Amino acid sequence: MPTIKEIQDTIIDEFSLFDDSEDKYQYIIDLGNKLSPFDTKYKIPENEIKGCQSKVWLNSSLKDNKVFFEADSDGKIAKGVISILVRILSGQEPEEIVSNELYFIDKAGLNTLLSMNRANGLASMVKQMKLHALAYKTKLESKK
Amino acid sequence: MGLSKEELLEKSGKLYDIEHIRKDFPILKQTVHGKPLVYLDNAASTQKPQTVINALTDYYSSYNANIHRGIHTLAEKATSAFELTRETLKLFINAPSVEQIIFTKGTTEGINLVASSYGRQNIKKGDEIIVSGLEHHSNMVPWQMLAVEKGAFVKIIPVNNAGDLIMEEYEKLLSDRTKIVAVNHVSNTLGTVNPVKEIISLAHKKEAKVLIDGAQAASHLDIDVQDLDADFYVLSGHKLYGPTGIGILYGKKEILEAMPPYQGGGEMIREVSYEKCSFNELPYKFEAGTPNIADTVALKYAIEYLDKLGKASIRAHENNLLQYTTEQLKHIDGLKIVGTAKQKVSIISFSIEGIHHQDIGILLDQHGIAIRTGHHCTQPLMGRFNITGTSRASFALYNTIEEADKLIAGINKAIKMLR
Ligand SMILES: Cc1ncc(COP(=O)(O)O)c(C=O)c1O
């Protein structure tokens, strides 16, 4: 399993292939389309991430001390964005998820692409995933 | 139905010189993401002509001073410019007198003023307030708050599938318990023009007072508060080519006179001692504190700009854009226009099967096209149509047929990317 840093660097490389922002959007949409199916039983209000116009659902589980995320959205661009986050963070250890900085957003030029209030959606997604990880981290530590 | 583009261009060209008009709005010259800006979010806020912008800088560069109490030259100049706007607005809505024009921050504040002052004084337990299912949250929440406070009830006039109010249901809701009816003149989400004159006259038969939210009407329709017989009429300057932060509340004189002040402070008093105070006369009773002088002064220039072009020409031009765009949108597979009322202004809400409105908005922005997506501050109405939001394109006097074409092309491109 590559590290959070390694996956981020790969994503930055991928996005550097496009200089047109519309192409970047197309890539984000395509990534969203490839996201693994999300069990509709998790599409409940408690799993909704607030702060974006599109609905985004996030669910997680802990296996072998690693956090596994699954997500979905009714918006294609939001789905693409969360799929990138899932790709980076799913399968990592809680501590890694909590402590790693997600610099790819700036470096891949996604901050301007998903600017202003749209970025709030992105920020809320990151925050929510880190919160899940923090909860697992606390749980694991209390068991020690 | 469906004039050809050439016919439309010719028709529009006879109305006024659109290229010339666009030059009056400096903001329109820019590019966004390398494409010429296509501004189709006019229902949220309109752009400002150079005369309005000049009025603002002129005020601050040459006669900024606090008004009314000053005796020096600048204060007098500022006061007279400020009061001139009141005069202009009186004519704009055909109010009987200037003291019936109360300056507010905008529509929202006007409604809150009436709900707090008139509402608190007159609404009792068990009374009913009728609003429509088409209301902006600004014309819903203040009434709900009042109702909760007083133990009163808010009743909703239902909306049919086309986006028209169901008038028979409205008549059924009216009763002796009805104290206030508050409806918009034009729906910001669907563009529906409501039969407000009839709504008012029916309410008056039950001795209820009527507030009309004219936020979306003022830039398109001729407003005549006397002909409507409205008890209150509110609007926002920023939606009619004027500055933000300024609007008006119109009220019938005897009603305004009987109402308690909304806020206390300077300007609104006649005499103050440590024990008590007496209130100033209209309109100052409702204008506590230093008002938004600069924006008020500049608002006059927006009204003058509208008057110069003439609402009839503007309406004809915008209606051409509405008809043309509606017709073109109908050709897009899976696109549904939300709001097909008999009478509409140039606001078009739509949804596209399987596609989220936010995605459309983001991708259109890449083409420099500004539209609005979401619930448009009308969540209950979205619920009525079983949707979470729409994409909304709204046209103003400076928009062109070419821009409508760009919108259509942009939507088609976005759909291709998203499907
Ligand atoms: C119908 C309607 N009412 C009220 C408002 C609120 O206006 P403002 O925000 O200027 O107070 C709006 C603005 O979107 C509106 O469209």
Side-chain angles (χ1 to χ4, degrees):
Chain A
M1 177 81 202
T3 66
I4 290 179
K5 188 175 171 310
E6 284 161 357
I7 308 174
Q8 291 196 81
D9 291 339
T10 311
I11 288 170
I12 294 165
D13 283 347
E14 287 169 13
F15 273 93
S16 73
L17 296 174
F18 310 105
D19 29 46
D20 185 330
S21 59
E22 207 165 12
D23 292 340
K24 287 188 187 176
Y25 274 119
Q26 185 68 68
Y27 188 55
I28 293 172
I29 294 163
D30 293 344
L31 291 175
N33 287 338
K34 286 190 212 129
L35 188 64
S36 331
F38 186 80
D39 197 329
T40 45
K41 77 169 184 250
Y42 296 123
K43 280 195 186 177
I44 49 174
E46 296 86 272
N47 286 342
E48 260 176 51
I49 299 177
K50 303 275 178 275
C52 7
Q53 264 191 23
S54 310
K55 273 203 173 114
V56 180
W57 296 273
L58 177 73
N59 186 47
S60 67
S61 53
L62 189 72
K63 225 184 296 161
D64 304 329
N65 291 349
K66 295 201 168 90
V67 186
F68 290 86
F69 288 107
E70 43 186 343
D72 201 359
S73 173
D74 60 355
K76 292 256 170 140
I77 293 171
K79 190 167 172 177
V81 172
I82 192 96
S83 82
I84 298 173
L85 293 173
V86 168
R87 180 171 155 204
I88 297 169
L89 299 177
S90 195
Q92 306 287 351
E93 286 173 13
E95 168 64 34
E96 294 295 308
I97 297 171
V98 173
S99 60
N100 259 282
E101 196 204 332
L102 294 180
Y103 56 84
F104 83 96
I105 297 169
D106 272 340
K107 289 257 171 73
L110 296 182
N111 52 342
T112 48
L113 217 55
L114 308 162
S115 69
M116 307 221 284
N117 52 3
R118 291 174 228 142
N120 292 340
L122 176 59
S124 325
M125 290 177 204
V126 172
K127 192 171 144 207
Q128 199 60 26
M129 292 173 98
K130 290 206 171 203
L131 274 176
H132 280 230
L134 187 64
Y136 290 123
K137 182 176 169 239
T138 320
K139 202 164 113 191
L140 286 176
E141 278 166 358
S142 68
K143 271 194 204 149
K144 275 181 196 161
Chain B
M1 227 15 222
L3 286 176
S4 77
K5 192 165 141 192
E6 288 67 32
E7 286 170 309
L8 271 174
L9 282 171
E10 177 170 345
K11 247 175 89 183
S12 283
K14 284 193 187 128
L15 293 167
Y16 51 60
D17 181 354
I18 190 77
E19 282 317 314
H20 192 77
I21 283 167
R22 289 180 68 80
K23 293 205 180 88
D24 294 335
F25 293 81
I27 208 169
L28 299 178
K29 281 185 217 121
Q30 72 189 290
T31 56
V32 169
H33 299 304
K35 315 267 166 53
L37 168 68
V38 176
Y39 187 77
L40 301 178
D41 193 19
N42 295 287
S45 200
T46 49
Q47 301 304 344
K48 322 304 172 199
Q50 191 66 54
T51 48
V52 169
I53 300 166
N54 289 350
L56 286 168
T57 46
D58 198 33
Y59 170 76
Y60 283 123
S61 3
S62 58
Y63 59 101
N64 170 54
N66 210 333
I67 54 168
H68 292 141
R69 290 166 306 267
I71 49 145
H72 57 79
T73 306
L74 292 194
E76 269 178 21
K77 201 168 168 201
T79 305
S80 89
F82 182 84
E83 290 302 328
L84 215 52
T85 298
R86 208 187 298 274
E87 193 72 48
T88 307
L89 277 145
K90 169 198 168 260
L91 297 173
F92 186 69
I93 63 167
N94 192 33
S97 67
V98 279
E99 66 263 32
Q100 289 168 271
I101 306 292
I102 293 153
F103 287 124
T104 62
K105 276 194 296 192
T107 303
T108 305
E109 191 181 44
I111 297 166
N112 277 282
L113 192 163
V114 174
S116 295
S117 168
Y118 181 86
R120 285 225 180 95
Q121 188 181 42
N122 293 285
I123 295 294
K124 311 250 161 353
K125 193 168 187 247
D127 284 347
E128 292 177 1
I129 300 163
I130 298 180
V131 302
S132 91
L134 288 170
E135 297 313 308
H136 188 280
H137 295 163
S138 289
N139 198 25
M140 177 79 79
V141 180
W143 306 115
Q144 286 172 338
M145 286 164 62
L146 177 65
V148 167
E149 181 182 320
K150 295 288 183 174
F153 301 96
V154 174
K155 303 271 165 179
I156 312 289
I157 310 169
V159 178
N160 69 16
N161 290 335
D164 279 307
L165 295 180
I166 306 175
M167 290 298 280
E168 302 79 58
E169 296 297 323
Y170 169 56
E171 290 192 50
K172 282 188 218 155
L173 289 177
L174 281 166
S175 78
D176 296 336
R177 289 184 301 278
T178 312
K179 292 294 170 324
I180 298 175
V181 176
V183 293
N184 56 35
H185 200 159
V186 168
S187 154
N188 63 307
T189 304
L190 307 182
T192 311
V193 179
N194 289 314
V196 285
K197 192 169 174 177
E198 193 185 339
I199 288 172
I200 292 168
S201 116
L202 288 165
H204 283 170
K205 287 194 183 128
K206 299 288 179 192
E207 286 172 18
K209 299 287 184 260
V210 185
L211 176 141
I212 302 297
D213 168 355
Q216 293 297 337
S219 67
H220 308 286
L221 310 178
D222 296 308
I223 314 289
D224 184 336
V225 290
Q226 295 188 71
D227 177 57
L228 293 176
D229 200 20
D231 299 296
F232 300 105
Y233 198 99
V234 288
L235 56 84
S236 299
H238 73 95
K239 292 186 197 280
L240 67 151
Y241 310 97
T244 54
I246 181 69
I248 59 159
L249 159 66
Y250 157 84
K252 280 192 183 152
K253 200 163 176 179
E254 62 282 8
I255 303 176
L256 291 174
E257 272 169 351
M259 278 161 59
Y262 174 49
Q263 292 174 330
E267 199 76 47
M268 53 75 71
I269 39 78
R270 182 175 291 141
E271 259 182 278
V272 189
S273 69
Y274 283 120
E275 293 74 34
K276 60 178 193 320
C277 63
S278 61
F279 301 129
N280 206 339
E281 60 213 17
L282 290 176
Y284 309 111
K285 180 168 92 175
F286 293 108
E287 294 179 357
T290 300
N292 181 354
I293 307 168
D295 293 314
T296 308
V297 167
L299 178 57
K300 177 173 83 92
Y301 294 83
I303 308 278
E304 283 175 356
Y305 190 89
L306 277 174
D307 284 345
K308 198 177 78 199
L309 284 181
K311 287 250 188 90
S313 301
I314 295 170
R315 228 168 15 243
H317 174 74
E318 290 173 344
N319 194 47
N320 285 344
L321 292 168
L322 172 69
Q323 300 304 337
Y324 178 75
T325 311
T326 304
E327 209 42 48
Q328 297 301 309
L329 286 172
K330 282 184 190 158
H331 297 309
I332 297 177
D333 192 32
L335 186 144
K336 187 167 151 278
I337 291 174
V338 186
T340 50
K342 292 186 284 290
Q343 265 206 310
K344 276 181 74 168
V345 302
S346 48
I347 292 174
I348 312 176
S349 258
F350 58 89
S351 52
I352 303 168
E353 213 185 317
I355 293 181
H356 198 280
H357 44 81
Q358 189 189 22
D359 290 340
I360 291 286
I362 292 174
L363 294 175
L364 285 179
D365 181 56
Q366 289 300 307
H367 294 259
I369 303 169
I371 63 158
R372 189 144 296 243
T373 62
H375 53 62
H376 318 294
C377 292
T378 55
Q379 278 181 339
L381 180 64
M382 296 294 98
R384 155 70 181 80
F385 283 98
N386 275 322
I387 47 182
T388 57
T390 69
S391 303
R392 181 189 72 184
S394 50
F395 296 85
L397 62 86
Y398 40 65
N399 289 121
T400 65
I401 302 273
E402 290 76 18
E403 289 182 312
D405 282 338
K406 282 184 190 168
L407 171 71
I408 304 296
I411 294 170
N412 278 320
K413 175 90 195 284
I415 292 175
K416 213 177 271 163
M417 288 176 69
L418 291 161
R419 276 208 177 127

